[in-house]
Amino acid sequence: MSLSDVPGLRPPRHPVHPRARTWWTAQALVTVSGPMLLTALALGLLSVLFFAGALPWLVPLLVVTLVAPALAYVFLMPRRRYAGHAWELGAHAVYAADGWIWRRRRITPLSQVQTVDTVRGPIQRRYGLATLTVTTASTAGEVRIAGLADADAEELARLIGRATHTARTPDAHAAPTPDAHATLTPDAHTAHAPAPDAHARVDRPGTEGAA
């Protein structure tokens, strides 16, 4: 579905935890920028030791192909990824956004939710963060909300489980439970508002990826 098919679709209201920027920075250094910078350093040292005559053209080449992209990635990716990640839980749907080059927004009815899991990688654990993974019956696949504080991820998982059960009961629309709207700890930096109930995927190019 294109953006024009969903007029006035706003972003989700709740950003992920600010520590997510530090997590993504560390992740970039370990997986992308760090190896690129080490490769450039190793090639430069080898040139100094054995091929000094190649330095006039090798140094600019290393800067353009390795050093500059590595620095740009480690400084830009975490900030733009943090700006693009957000979530919202309504009485009948989960609304999530992610991406930093290609931005994606997904609205998934709670009636399609099958499982809710929290995942913590080694770097995430270092910063007290978790990723919430919502598996659905949709062919669009799972919904992931990365960069939540541990306590917020556990609470959101509980709220989604409760809201999913409510959405599947016959009287769900007549009397939604108070837990149908996300109410998390102050760490989540949230304001409470329901997400749209339609199921939609909106992909659009942005100006700012995932390790």
Side-chain angles (χ1 to χ4, degrees), residues 23-200:
W23 165 46
W24 284 319
T25 299
Q27 195 177 48
L29 286 171
V30 170
T31 61
V32 177
S33 297
M36 291 175 70
L37 291 173
L38 287 176
T39 300
L41 179 62
L43 290 174
L45 290 176
L46 287 174
S47 179
V48 169
L49 294 174
F50 302 107
F51 308 102
L55 287 176
W57 61 265
L58 181 61
V59 170
L61 179 64
L62 293 177
V63 169
V64 171
T65 60
L66 292 175
V67 176
L71 295 177
Y73 184 77
V74 76
F75 283 111
L76 293 179
M77 182 276 287
R79 291 160 178 77
R80 298 185 68 86
R81 195 172 181 183
Y82 176 77
H85 277 62
W87 64 273
E88 191 171 338
L89 175 62
H92 309 293
V94 180
Y95 185 19
D98 59 18
W100 67 283
I101 293 179
W102 294 99
R103 296 289 182 83
R104 179 177 66 170
R105 296 178 187 171
R106 288 188 58 184
I107 302 172
T108 302
L110 292 169
S111 58
Q112 294 188 358
V113 172
Q114 294 181 325
T115 62
V116 183
D117 303 300
T118 55
V119 179
R120 297 173 180 85
I123 303 179
Q124 278 182 304
R125 291 196 300 271
R126 169 67 179 80
Y127 296 104
L129 300 173
T131 296
L132 188 75
T133 302
V134 181
T135 304
T136 71
S138 168
T139 57
E142 64 187 20
V143 177
R144 297 176 72 251
I145 305 174
L148 296 172
D150 278 334
D152 292 345
E154 294 294 341
E155 179 67 4
L156 183 55
R158 185 187 69 82
L159 289 172
I160 292 176
R162 178 75 63 84
T164 298
H165 173 74
T166 301
R168 290 173 177 172
T169 58
D171 59 343
H173 297 286
T177 64
D179 276 336
H181 298 276
T183 308
L184 299 184
T185 62
D187 249 355
H189 307 287
T190 62
H192 314 309
D197 297 328
H199 182 284

